[in-house]
Amino acid sequence: SQLAEENPWALSVHEGESVTVNCSYKTSITALQWYRQKSGEGPAQLILIRSNEREKRNGRLRATLDTSSQSSSLSITATRCEDTAVYFCATAPGAGNKLTFGIGTRVLVRP
Amino acid sequence: GPKVLQIPSHQIIDMGQMVTLNCDPVSNHLYFYWYKQILGQQMEFLVNFYNGKVMEKSKLFKDQFSVERPDGSYFTLKIQPTALEDSAVYFCASSLKGQEVFFGKGTRLTVV
């Protein structure tokens, strides 16, 4: 199945610190997406990294992809309180197909 | 950025009644999705829709569920009749090419 799983289940950091969330997935992918969901909101896409890319950056965010180990990571540097959210990785077998989300990693950034 | 609007944000309905959840996707998008999320749990795929047709539906997409985009604007999820276990937050999403997917803020459905 196209299951994606994040780990750890939860993380807590102080503002200004860095945090990394990991994701493992099964089967082959064309791309992996990282989403953030804040309380009371829908998921917002942060980074889409294609299978031929090893790293992608978006401001304070950095995603890596290792297709050999079927894993990805999302790092956030210089965290802010507003980064507090649940972070999901999601995969799909192809464009337009269903996204399969993991259960997410809950990140709490404390002042 | 592009916004997907969901109306209403919260709906309470008696078990057995019909409910229609409305979604106003991003105007030029071609792919449409519904997801279900029970509080604190993961997002679960219900159905996706392209070119006027359902592409794929999950086991959660029961016979009581239906989707359509009748006038080319709103994308709707209808549940008839509703059951207690349908209580959840329903997220609509849309995408232009099926990769960058934009989600709405969800409609919280409470079946009583």
Side-chain angles (χ1 to χ4, degrees):
Chain A
S1 69
Q2 204 77 12
L3 184 64
E5 294 182 348
E6 303 86 353
N7 70 83
W9 187 80
L11 283 171
S12 178
V13 296
H14 284 106
E15 225 176 1
E17 294 177 340
S18 296
V19 67
T20 297
V21 178
N22 300 300
C23 167
S24 59
Y25 60 90
K26 300 180 182 179
T27 71
S28 62
I29 58 169
T30 56
L32 183 141
Q33 304 178 40
W34 282 98
Y35 283 83
R36 174 181 65 198
Q37 185 177 24
K38 296 188 177 183
S39 180
E41 297 183 7
Q45 192 187 75
L46 299 175
I47 291 182
L48 184 154
I49 183 166
R50 301 186 194 282
S51 57
N52 62 350
E53 296 175 310
R54 291 295 166 259
E55 177 182 300
K56 197 145 183 198
R57 292 178 185 266
N58 179 8
R60 296 181 292 111
L61 307 175
R62 173 178 170 260
T64 65
L65 181 64
D66 184 342
T67 52
S68 62
S69 63
Q70 296 186 319
S71 63
S72 175
S73 70
L74 176 72
S75 298
I76 310 171
T77 56
T79 54
R80 304 168 182 164
C81 288
E82 53 262 38
D83 293 327
T84 293
V86 181
Y87 290 80
F88 298 93
C89 63
T91 60
N97 295 117
K98 67 177 184 184
L99 283 171
T100 299
F101 288 85
I103 60 171
T105 292
R106 285 133 192 83
V107 173
L108 172 64
V109 181
R110 294 173 289 167
Chain B
K3 291 202 184 299
V4 174
L5 300 176
Q6 290 189 244
I7 306 159
S9 58
H10 193 175
Q11 186 144 6
I12 301 173
I13 195 131
D14 290 327
M15 184 176 62
Q17 296 293 304
M18 180 193 77
V19 68
T20 300
L21 307 184
N22 294 301
C23 171
D24 188 8
V26 180
S27 61
N28 61 338
H29 281 190
L30 302 176
Y31 294 88
F32 310 102
Y33 313 78
W34 282 104
Y35 282 80
K36 177 181 179 180
Q37 187 177 41
I38 293 173
L39 188 62
Q41 299 184 20
Q42 71 190 100
M43 296 276 287
E44 298 199 87
F45 169 81
L46 285 176
V47 66
N48 55 355
F49 192 86
Y50 171 75
N51 199 24
K53 290 180 285 196
V54 169
M55 289 175 67
E56 183 181 358
K57 50 188 179 181
S58 73
K59 293 178 190 175
L60 295 179
F61 194 81
K62 304 179 296 184
D63 291 343
Q64 298 89 327
F65 288 42
S66 63
V67 290
E68 60 177 357
R69 196 174 180 230
D71 54 0
S73 59
Y74 278 6
F75 177 51
T76 63
L77 173 66
K78 185 187 292 186
I79 309 174
Q80 181 179 27
T82 49
L84 293 176
E85 60 264 28
D86 297 330
S87 294
V89 181
Y90 290 83
F91 290 97
C92 173
S94 71
S95 175
L96 176 60
K97 296 182 180 178
Q99 290 214 310
E100 191 173 11
V101 181
F102 294 86
F103 284 80
K105 292 191 172 186
T107 293
R108 182 178 299 278
L109 177 66
T110 303
V111 182
V112 296

